[in-house]
Amino acid sequence: MATQKRLPFEKEIFELEELLARLEAGANGQAGGSEEIRRIRRELVSLKKKIYGNLTAWQTVLVARHEDRPQTVDYVDLVFEDFVELHGDRAIGDDRALRCGFARLGDFRVVLIGHQKGRTLKERQECFYGCAHPEGYRKALKNMRMAAKFRLPVVCLIDTPGAFPGIGAEERGQAQLIAVNLLEMSRLETPVVCVVIGEGGSGGALGVGIGDRVAMLEHAYYSVISPEGCAGILWKEATETTKPMAAEALRLTSRDLARLGVIDDVIPEPLGGAHRDQREMATTLKSYLLRYLRELRNVPVEDLLDARYQKFRRMGVFEVGAAGKGVAEGTG
């Protein structure tokens, strides 16, 4: 997918792409020109592999936030079929930052839950930039319980900088509702698959992030706080110097989290990121989701719940200090 948004570290990539476009426009089928075009294409592939294979933590955050990166509604069109959206939380209203509904994925009927950020300013304001309110988490839980009742798997697509930070959200019990979701998802009697497709920020992500399989797209991030928030706490300001330092310290990339055992799988992205080829990314995501659902389909409910519980209990590392007291380390 062609895009006009240029990330700071992509300068060489765009320069080669522009050179390639000029050569292709002027080649007119000439053999010499074709050989040069093939050489530039090889260089371009090599350059993308080099740059995207060695992204820093902060660069990964920038890719995860790319404005052309596919969002939940894009995957609804490209991955799922027969989507029927379910609105409202039966208490306050309908939060547009969290979309829920029935959908078909291959041979499976599922309940799909996903954050939506929006693309235009109007859409983003309607979706609160992907930051869900209490009613969004209440809506999600209502539909998860319905999924369990009808033995439908739950698929959660996570893409949020965090839960909505407003006073009204706090007054309506934001923290408590996220905590309730954590508890209820941990014992939901149906398979649950969670994938971080972009940003996985704090409790806003965790509120729909407890599953039998938790995966991340290659260039997504998942963290207890945004790099800007972390930098503001540690250094009192979020600058071009402190934000990369915070991102590195948070260990928020898919590689870090797979190594620490926080996630089960890293889903590869197209060369140059999901924003460059949404269809290829959708095809890859679909194959992984189907694999997870097939693995979980015939697992007895008791075994499913026990494995899910043990999965999260295993996170973290403990060392015994000299005085015999346990000291927690690792995944946080």
Side-chain angles (χ1 to χ4, degrees):
M1 174 181 169
T3 176
Q4 298 300 313
K5 176 68 179 293
R6 302 189 178 196
L7 298 175
F9 56 86
E10 291 185 310
K11 181 180 178 181
E12 292 180 77
I13 292 175
F14 278 98
E15 287 176 351
L16 263 186
E17 287 179 336
E18 289 168 359
L19 174 60
L20 180 61
R22 290 198 299 270
L23 289 173
E24 288 175 336
N28 294 325
Q30 297 178 10
S34 297
E35 179 58 35
E36 179 70 4
I37 287 170
R38 285 193 291 271
R39 184 184 68 81
I40 296 298
R41 284 175 178 166
R42 289 194 297 269
E43 285 187 17
L44 184 58
V45 169
S46 177
L47 182 62
K48 286 180 181 178
K49 287 181 178 178
K50 178 183 176 182
I51 291 175
Y52 274 85
N54 297 279
L55 293 178
T56 66
W58 177 244
Q59 288 170 341
T60 299
V61 172
L62 296 180
V63 176
R65 293 172 175 173
H66 198 287
E67 64 184 26
D68 294 326
R69 192 174 179 86
Q71 301 180 17
T72 293
V73 295
D74 300 309
Y75 290 122
V76 166
D77 293 335
L78 297 171
V79 174
F80 300 90
E81 299 175 26
D82 304 329
F83 179 70
V84 178
E85 188 167 1
L86 302 171
H87 297 271
D89 67 339
R90 296 179 181 169
I92 302 296
D94 185 40
D95 189 338
R96 304 303 290 156
L98 264 177
R99 304 296 172 88
C100 307
F102 294 114
R104 184 177 296 280
L105 177 62
D107 297 331
F108 294 90
R109 289 291 298 177
V110 303
V111 168
L112 174 65
I113 296 169
H115 291 98
Q116 178 62 24
K117 292 179 175 178
R119 297 205 184 279
T120 67
L121 178 60
K122 182 179 179 181
E123 288 174 350
R124 289 172 180 170
Q125 289 175 334
E126 178 185 338
C127 300
F128 303 102
Y129 294 81
C131 299
H133 285 69
E135 43 270 30
Y137 293 102
R138 191 183 292 110
K139 176 174 70 170
L141 182 57
K142 176 199 72 173
N143 290 309
M144 289 181 202
R145 286 171 172 162
M146 182 169 60
K149 178 179 180 180
F150 293 105
R151 297 293 188 267
L152 298 176
V154 175
V155 175
C156 297
L157 302 182
I158 298 167
D159 187 14
T160 178
F164 192 79
I167 293 175
E170 296 297 334
E171 289 175 341
R172 297 197 299 278
Q174 181 91 285
Q176 181 192 13
L177 283 166
I178 290 174
V180 168
N181 276 28
L182 297 178
L183 173 64
E184 293 298 322
M185 289 187 77
S186 71
R187 60 190 188 188
L188 198 68
E189 294 184 352
T190 194
V192 182
V193 174
C194 306
V195 180
V196 182
I197 60 173
E199 295 188 86
S202 192
L206 276 178
V208 291
I210 305 298
D212 304 292
R213 297 289 184 273
V214 180
M216 289 175 65
L217 300 195
E218 183 180 3
H219 302 308
Y221 83 86
Y222 197 15
S223 175
V224 296
I225 193 172
S226 70
E228 293 90 340
C230 179
I233 292 171
L234 294 181
W235 296 288
K236 308 304 179 187
E237 58 180 353
T239 67
E240 296 308 308
T241 300
T242 59
K243 288 186 291 187
M245 290 169 59
E248 193 66 38
L250 286 167
R251 299 291 187 267
L252 46 68
T253 68
S254 59
R255 291 191 305 272
D256 289 329
L257 297 176
R259 178 173 54 83
L260 293 169
V262 175
I263 62 171
D264 302 300
D265 222 345
V266 177
I267 300 176
E269 297 190 20
L271 188 59
H275 57 279
R276 289 184 174 270
D277 194 335
Q278 291 192 5
R279 289 190 177 277
E280 183 183 341
M281 185 68 256
T283 300
T284 303
L285 177 61
K286 183 176 182 178
S287 68
Y288 273 78
L289 289 175
L290 287 171
R291 191 187 86 191
Y292 298 145
L293 292 177
R294 288 170 185 143
E295 290 172 354
L296 298 168
R297 173 164 46 190
N298 297 318
V299 178
V301 170
E302 296 78 7
D303 295 343
L304 191 74
L305 296 181
D306 183 62
R308 190 186 304 162
Y309 175 78
Q310 294 300 332
K311 165 186 169 61
F312 287 91
R313 288 288 294 171
R314 284 194 299 269
M315 292 182 185
V317 179
F318 294 86
E319 292 183 351
V320 178
K325 296 181 179 180
V327 180
E329 284 190 348
T331 59

